[in-house]
Amino acid sequence: MSAAFVYYTTTILVYLGVDILAVWSLNLQYGVTGIYNFAWIMFQAVGAYTAGVLTLGPDTSNGGFQQYILGVRLPEPLPVLVAGAVAGVVALVVGMVALRRLRTDYQAMVMLVISVIAVLLVENVTGLFNGPAGLSLVPQPYGSLPLSSLGYQWFYVALTAVICLVVYLFVHRVTSSPLGRALRATRDNEDAAQALGKDVVQLRLFAFVFGGVVAGISGAVLILFIGAWSPGSWAYVETLVVLTAVIVGGTGNNAGVMLGALLVPVAFNEATRFIPQFGRPGLVDALQWIVIGLLALVFLWFWPRGIIPERRRRFPAGPGRATQAAEPSEVT
Amino acid sequence: MTGSLFVQSIGFGLVTASILALASVGFTLQFGVSNILNLAYGDLMTASAFAGYAVNQAGGSIAESLVAGAGFGALASALLNRYLYRRFVRHGTKLFGMVVVTLAVGIIVQNILLAAYGATFFSYSFSTGGQVHILGMVLDKFQLVIIAVSVAAMAAVQLLLTRTRLGKAMRATAANPGLAQASGIGTEQVTDLAWLMSGALCGLAGVVLVLNTSAFQSTTGNDFLVVIVAAAMLGGVGRPTGAMLASVVLGVVTEVAARFITPSFKEVIAFGVLVVVLLFRPTGIFGQGATVKEVPT
Amino acid sequence: MSAAAAGARQPAADGKDFLIADGLRREFGGVRACADATFGIRRGAITSLIGPNGAGKSTVVGIVGGAIAPSAGRIVFDGSDITAMPPHDRARIGLVRTYQLSSEFGRLTVLENLLVAAPSQRGERMRTLLLGKRYWRTQERELLDQARSLLDRFALSHMQDEYAGNLSGGQKRLLEIMRALMCQPKLLLLDEPMAGVNPTLARSIEGYLAGLAGEGLTMLLVEHELGLVERLSESVIVMAQGKVIATGTMPELRARPEVLHAYLVG
C-alpha cells in the first residue's frame, strides 16, 4: 500500500466519521422528531468556528492576517466539547424563536433563510471569523505527539471513531427509550401527543438542541482535521447533501442513515475523484451536484423511507405476564 | 447631498422593484395555484437569462432576448410542473417533500448551466442607450425599459386575472381546487396555463435581472430567490397585487438602506423580513386566512 | 351560581358530583355555540350527553376536556376548579377524552401507541440522556403489563406489533379507547365513540364500556343512538341550541315535551 493510498483512505475514514455524526444529528431532528431543519449546516459551522477560535490562539499571531473573535489556545479535548455546547446554545436560541406550528414547507423555508442570513453575517462582519476568507492554519490537536505524518492520520481516525462511539451511546439512549418514543409520537401526530400530556414544545426543542450539539461536534472534528473553514463550506445547499443521505439511508433509523452517510457524501463524492478530470475545471463538481439532485429525486419517488427504513420496535413477551420481565429490544 | 442621493436610490429601488415584481408575481401565482414553494424558480430565471443570452449573442436585440427568455421560462416551467411536480404530488409527496424536490431540481438546473457554460461571468451585448433624468433621478435608458416592461406585464396579468374567464378560473382553482373542479373547471388545463403564464414572468424576470446586473453567472438567479420569496410571502401567498406592492416596498427599502447603511446588508433586511413574516404572519401583510392545505392534486 | 333551566338538575353543592359544569358559554365568530350550560356528573356512573346536531355537545366536550376555553362559566372536577387548566394537565389529574377523528400515531406499533399514552413516564424525561435504561426499565415493564392486559381485554393482542396506521377504522376506535385507559382516567370523556362503526363492533364497544362502568369508571358519553344511550347510561343530559334543556333518565326524558320538541325542531 503506497503512502498516498493510506493517506487517502484515512482521510476518507475521517470524513465518514464526520458524516456519520452529521446524519445521526439530522436524523434525530428530522427522522425521529419531524423537525424540518433546513439550517442544519449552520450548526456544523458553529461548531467548526468555535473549535477554530479556541484552538488558533490570538489573532495577532501567525502574522496577524486573520481576524476573529476570542482566540485562545485551549488544551484538548476542550475545543470539541465547547464547540458542541455552543452549537447547542445556538440551537436553543434559534429553536425558541423559529420552531413553530408552521406548515412544514414554511418551517423548512424559515430555517433555510436563517441559514442564509447566518452566512451573510459571517461574510460581512469580518471581525467575527475572518469573513469570506474564513479561518485557516488551525493547529492539529495533540500535534505534539511523536507521530509520523501517516501515524497521525491513523491517530485521528481513531480519535474520530472514539468520538462517534461516545456520541452513539447518547444517541441510542434517546432513540431506544420512552423519550425517543415520545419524540416519534410528536412527529406522527403532534396534536394527539399534546392531548396525551406530552410537552411537545419542550420535546422538539430537546431534539433540536441535542442534534445541534452533535452537529457542532462534527464541525469541530472536521475543522481540526482539515485546518480550515470558510463560508464556502456551509452554503445552505450543504444541508441538502446530509438530508439526502438521511433520506437515502433510512429516515428514522440510526444504522440506515449511516449507510446513507457512506453512500452519499462519501462514496459518491469520492467515486468521482477517480474519474479523470475532463472538460473545463469545475465540470466534474457540477456533475456531482447534478447527481446528488437526481439521487434525491429518485429516492423521494421510489424509496422515500430509505434503504433501511425505521425498524418496527417489538417487545419480547415474558412467559408469565404478571411477573416476568419484558424488556423492549431496540432493533435499530 | 443626502436629498439627491436619497432620490437616486429610490430610482434604483424602482428598478429593483420592477424586476422583483415580475419575479414575485410569477412565483406567487405558482404557489397560489399549486401550493408549491418552487425553490427552483431562481434557477429557471437564470436558465431563461441564458436563453436570452444565446439569442443576444446571435445578434438579437433586447426585445428578442426578452421574448426568448419569456418563452423559455414559460415552456420550462409548464413542463416542469406537468411532468415532474404534479407527478410527485399525485405520488403522495407532501409539502416538505416537495420543497426538497424543488430544491433538487434547482440544483440540477443550476449545475447543468454551470456544466454547459462554465463558471465565468457573462454579459449581454447591448447599448445602454444613454441616461435619462427624471424627477431628480438619473437612470439608464434600458432601466426605464425594464420598468416599462414590468409595468406592462403587471397590467397584463391584472387584466387577465380579473377580466378573463381563464383568470377567474385560475383564481377559483387557487382558492379551492376541489370546489373549482366540482364546478366544472378543468383544473389541470388551468394549472398548466397558470404555469405557462408564471413561467413567462419568470423568464422575463430572469432576462431583466441580468440586464440590470452588469455580469451574470449560473448562480445569479438563485441568489435572488430569497428576496423573491420574501416579496411573495409579504404580499400574501397567491395574491399578485400583494406581491406587486410588496415588491415596491422591498425594492425601494433595500436600495435606500443599501445607500445609507452598508450595501452588504441589503439582502439581510429582506431575509429578516421574510423570517418575521413566515413566523408571525404567514398570510402576509395583505393576505388573510391562509389555510394549511396540503398540495392539491 | 347561575339559574338552572327549569327541570335541569341543580348541581349539588355538597360535592356529590364528580364533575360540575357551571354556566359554560362560548361563541365562535358571533355564533353562540354554547350558552349557559350547567350540569353535574355523578361519580362511578355513565352519563350521556345527547341532543340534535348543532346543540353544542362537541363544544361542551371541548370545554370540559380543555381544548376550548369558555368565554364564561367554570368547571369543577373532583372538588377543584380546573377552568384554566390546559388539556394535558387535565389528563394528568385523570380527566381524559377520546376524539372522534382517528388520532393514532401511524408509524408507531399498536403496543407503542399504548405505551406512549401513559402519563408521567420517567423514561420520557430529558435526564434519560444521562441516566440510561436503568432509570426507566422498571416502569416500562409495568406499563407493558398494563398495555398487554388491555390488548387482551379488547381482543387485539394479535395486532400489537402492527403499525397503528394500518389498522381498520374500527380497530382504531378501540385503540383510541385503550389509549385513554392507559392514562388510568378517573373520568373518561367519550366523544361519539360509535360514529361510523359497524353494528357488531358497536355492540362489543358497548360491552367494554359497560364493563368499565361496572368497575367504577366515571364516563361522559356523547352519543346519538338513543337505544344505546338508554342501555348504558344512568343519567342523560339533553342539550339543544347551546343550552341544557333537561336531565334525567331516559324514561323521564321521553315524557318531557321540550325534549321531543328539541329533536323535532332541532
Side-chain angles (χ1 to χ4, degrees):
Chain A
M1 276 209 296
S2 72
F5 183 74
V6 175
Y7 208 88
Y8 175 69
T9 313
T10 48
T11 305
I12 295 296
L13 285 173
V14 172
Y15 284 172
L16 178 62
V18 168
D19 288 326
I20 286 176
L21 289 171
V23 291
W24 281 339
S25 153
L26 187 57
N27 184 44
L28 188 71
Q29 295 173 339
Y30 166 63
V32 174
T33 316
I35 298 172
Y36 301 96
N37 182 14
F38 244 110
W40 183 87
I41 196 70
M42 186 173 98
F43 299 99
Q44 186 179 60
V46 169
Y49 279 128
T50 306
V53 299
L54 291 179
T55 315
L56 269 172
D59 61 0
T60 44
S61 59
N62 288 322
F65 70 99
Q66 301 184 72
Q67 31 165 340
Y68 45 84
I69 55 170
L70 286 183
V72 292
R73 197 138 173 34
L74 291 182
E76 299 303 329
L78 280 178
V80 175
L81 294 173
V82 177
V86 171
V89 169
V90 173
L92 184 64
V93 173
V94 172
M96 289 200 305
V97 172
L99 279 184
R100 307 252 159 162
R101 295 213 52 185
L102 280 184
R103 286 168 52 133
T104 60
D105 50 356
Y106 285 21
Q107 180 72 78
M109 216 36 222
V110 167
M111 290 298 175
L112 193 152
V113 178
I114 289 177
S115 186
V116 171
I117 293 178
V119 175
L120 278 175
L121 279 176
V122 167
E123 273 180 348
N124 287 300
V125 183
T126 327
L128 268 181
F129 300 112
N130 207 30
L135 300 177
S136 52
L137 295 182
V138 179
Q140 292 174 330
Y142 301 109
S144 51
L145 288 176
L147 290 170
S148 68
S149 183
L150 274 184
Y152 185 80
Q153 288 284 114
W154 283 112
F155 170 70
Y156 208 89
V157 171
L159 204 59
T160 310
V162 166
I163 292 177
C164 283
L165 242 71
V166 171
V167 168
Y168 183 70
L169 234 73
F170 289 102
V171 167
H172 181 82
R173 247 189 207 172
V174 170
T175 54
S176 63
S177 68
L179 177 55
R181 187 167 58 218
L183 292 174
R184 287 185 298 133
T186 308
R187 171 198 68 192
D188 284 354
N189 193 329
E190 187 183 319
D191 290 326
Q194 178 122 46
L196 284 175
K198 314 299 173 196
D199 190 338
V200 162
V201 171
Q202 202 184 62
L203 282 170
R204 261 214 298 257
L205 211 52
F206 169 77
F208 198 62
V209 170
F210 184 33
V213 169
V214 176
I217 292 176
S218 77
V221 173
L222 198 51
I223 195 181
L224 292 173
F225 182 68
I226 301 178
W229 187 266
S230 69
S233 322
W234 53 293
Y236 76 85
V237 285
E238 296 294 336
T239 298
L240 184 68
V241 178
V242 184
L243 183 61
T244 305
V246 169
I247 290 174
V248 165
T251 313
N253 187 321
N254 285 327
V257 294
M258 280 171 72
L259 179 63
L262 183 65
L263 290 179
V264 179
V266 177
F268 178 62
N269 268 333
E270 297 310 318
T272 49
R273 199 178 289 266
F274 291 106
I275 301 175
Q277 280 277 346
F278 60 93
R280 68 172 69 84
L283 178 63
V284 177
D285 284 335
L287 290 176
Q288 272 182 4
W289 276 109
I290 292 175
V291 180
I292 293 234
L294 287 172
L295 209 62
L297 289 176
V298 165
F299 269 82
L300 277 172
W301 181 271
F302 292 108
W303 305 282
R305 293 263 177 264
I307 297 176
I308 309 182
E310 186 173 70
R311 285 303 186 93
R312 200 187 293 251
R313 278 156 177 83
R314 292 173 204 273
F315 300 84
R321 230 193 330 280
T323 50
Q324 190 60 38
E327 294 205 14
S329 73
E330 151 115 349
V331 187
T332 9
Chain B
M1 184 283 308
T2 12
S4 65
L5 202 61
F6 180 72
V7 171
Q8 183 60 40
S9 59
I10 292 194
F12 288 133
L14 288 174
V15 180
T16 307
S18 306
I19 303 170
L20 193 52
L22 280 170
S24 63
V25 168
F27 185 88
T28 212
L29 279 172
Q30 288 175 356
F31 191 77
V33 148
S34 299
N35 208 20
I36 296 174
L37 270 176
N38 182 14
L39 295 187
Y41 195 84
D43 299 299
L44 285 168
M45 279 171 63
T46 320
S48 307
F50 272 102
Y53 176 75
V55 165
N56 177 251
Q57 290 305 100
S61 68
I62 292 297
E64 285 163 340
S65 299
L66 281 168
V67 171
F72 181 88
L75 202 60
S77 302
L79 289 173
L80 188 61
N81 179 59
R82 191 183 162 111
Y83 292 110
L84 196 73
Y85 291 167
R86 200 151 68 193
R87 293 247 173 106
F88 264 98
V89 171
R90 294 257 169 85
H91 195 62
T93 314
K94 298 259 169 49
L95 292 171
F96 174 70
M98 287 311 295
V99 164
V100 181
V101 168
T102 62
L103 201 60
V105 168
I107 287 177
I108 292 173
V109 168
Q110 189 181 97
N111 282 281
I112 289 178
L113 290 172
L114 182 59
Y117 285 96
T120 50
F121 283 86
F122 298 86
S123 302
Y124 278 45
S125 338
F126 65 101
S127 62
T128 57
Q131 298 190 325
V132 174
H133 295 251
I134 295 187
L135 300 172
M137 306 183 277
V138 179
L139 294 173
D140 288 321
K141 269 230 183 96
F142 78 90
Q143 288 178 315
L144 285 179
V145 169
I146 291 176
I147 297 180
V149 166
S150 178
V151 169
M154 296 298 100
V157 166
Q158 259 314 91
L159 277 174
L160 190 141
L161 284 177
T162 49
R163 296 285 168 84
T164 66
R165 282 187 50 184
L166 173 62
K168 295 203 176 100
M170 277 189 203
R171 280 154 53 208
T173 309
N176 193 331
L179 190 57
Q181 186 143 40
S183 321
I185 296 177
T187 45
E188 275 200 20
Q189 291 91 309
V190 167
T191 311
D192 284 340
L193 288 167
W195 278 77
L196 269 174
M197 189 168 104
S198 59
L201 289 170
C202 169
L204 272 177
V207 175
V208 155
L209 173 67
V210 307
L211 282 177
N212 198 42
T213 63
S214 46
F216 69 97
Q217 52 169 343
S218 59
T219 58
T220 306
N222 186 252
D223 289 339
F224 204 49
L225 177 67
V226 183
V227 187
I228 298 172
V229 180
M233 304 292 317
L234 190 61
V237 289
R239 305 182 95 243
T241 17
M244 290 178 213
L245 281 164
S247 299
V248 173
V249 169
L250 274 178
V252 171
V253 166
T254 52
E255 282 298 331
V256 169
R259 302 294 148 208
F260 293 96
I261 323 178
T262 62
S264 25
F265 283 112
K266 160 165 92 169
E267 296 151 316
V268 177
I269 296 170
F271 299 174
V273 164
L274 177 56
V275 170
V276 167
V277 168
L278 281 173
L279 285 178
F280 301 109
R281 190 131 170 79
T283 54
I285 301 264
F286 305 107
Q288 80 282 42
T291 53
V292 188
K293 52 184 178 171
E294 282 294 332
V295 188
T297 44
Chain C
M1 281 269 240
S2 57
R9 193 159 61 115
Q10 192 82 3
D14 62 0
K16 194 169 65 157
D17 281 336
F18 199 28
L19 182 121
I20 301 170
D22 181 20
L24 298 179
R25 204 191 312 208
R26 174 68 200 216
E27 296 86 27
F28 288 110
V31 176
R32 179 149 297 170
C34 183
D36 216 29
T38 299
F39 56 88
I41 297 175
R42 281 246 320 264
R43 188 188 298 268
I46 300 185
T47 306
S48 286
L49 180 59
I50 65 174
N53 280 329
K57 309 191 292 292
S58 286
T59 311
V60 163
V61 171
I63 296 175
V64 173
I68 303 175
S71 45
R74 58 185 194 126
I75 309 264
V76 178
F77 177 58
D78 206 6
S80 337
D81 188 327
I82 62 163
T83 319
M85 198 183 274
H88 56 267
D89 285 335
R90 294 188 200 200
R92 278 190 194 150
I93 58 167
L95 178 57
V96 180
R97 74 167 282 189
T98 66
Y99 291 82
Q100 275 187 42
L101 301 168
S102 301
S103 58
E104 74 282 355
F105 301 114
R107 283 164 65 191
L108 266 58
T109 63
V110 168
L111 191 48
E112 283 187 304
N113 264 267
L114 294 182
L115 290 171
V116 81
S120 312
Q121 292 187 46
R122 304 177 100 203
E124 286 178 2
R125 306 238 200 96
M126 288 190 279
R127 62 191 75 172
T128 305
L129 183 63
L130 299 169
L131 298 174
K133 192 183 265 193
R134 217 170 282 262
Y135 181 60
W136 46 265
R137 204 168 27 191
T138 319
Q139 189 187 22
E140 183 86 341
R141 278 185 221 144
E142 290 163 7
L143 290 175
L144 265 170
D145 284 346
Q146 190 188 345
R148 287 219 165 98
S149 20
L150 275 177
L151 282 168
D152 266 352
R153 179 183 191 153
F154 284 79
L156 276 181
S157 293
H158 60 291
M159 298 293 275
Q160 65 179 297
D161 291 329
E162 188 57 60
Y163 284 120
N166 295 341
L167 294 180
S168 71
Q171 289 169 327
K172 286 185 187 175
R173 260 330 142 69
L174 290 177
L175 180 61
E176 184 73 18
I177 297 175
M178 286 192 286
R179 267 216 326 231
L181 291 172
M182 282 296 290
C183 301
Q184 302 191 315
K186 298 190 187 132
L187 195 155
L188 190 54
L189 293 169
L190 293 146
D191 194 355
E192 299 197 42
M194 319 291 192
V197 163
N198 69 67
T200 326
L201 187 58
R203 288 256 111 157
S204 45
I205 294 181
E206 196 187 316
Y208 294 134
L209 292 180
L212 290 168
E215 289 165 12
L217 178 62
T218 311
M219 285 178 263
L220 176 62
L221 177 69
V222 175
E223 190 41 67
H224 279 299
E225 216 244 275
L226 296 179
L228 187 119
V229 167
E230 184 160 15
R231 286 191 296 274
L232 274 181
S233 355
E234 192 185 285
S235 164
V236 180
I237 302 167
V238 187
M239 280 185 77
Q241 292 174 328
K243 298 196 190 68
V244 174
I245 58 169
T247 60
T249 64
M250 276 306 280
E252 284 171 15
L253 293 174
R254 251 191 271 273
R256 289 245 259 271
E258 64 263 31
V259 172
L260 297 171
H261 181 81
Y263 266 96
L264 285 173
V265 176

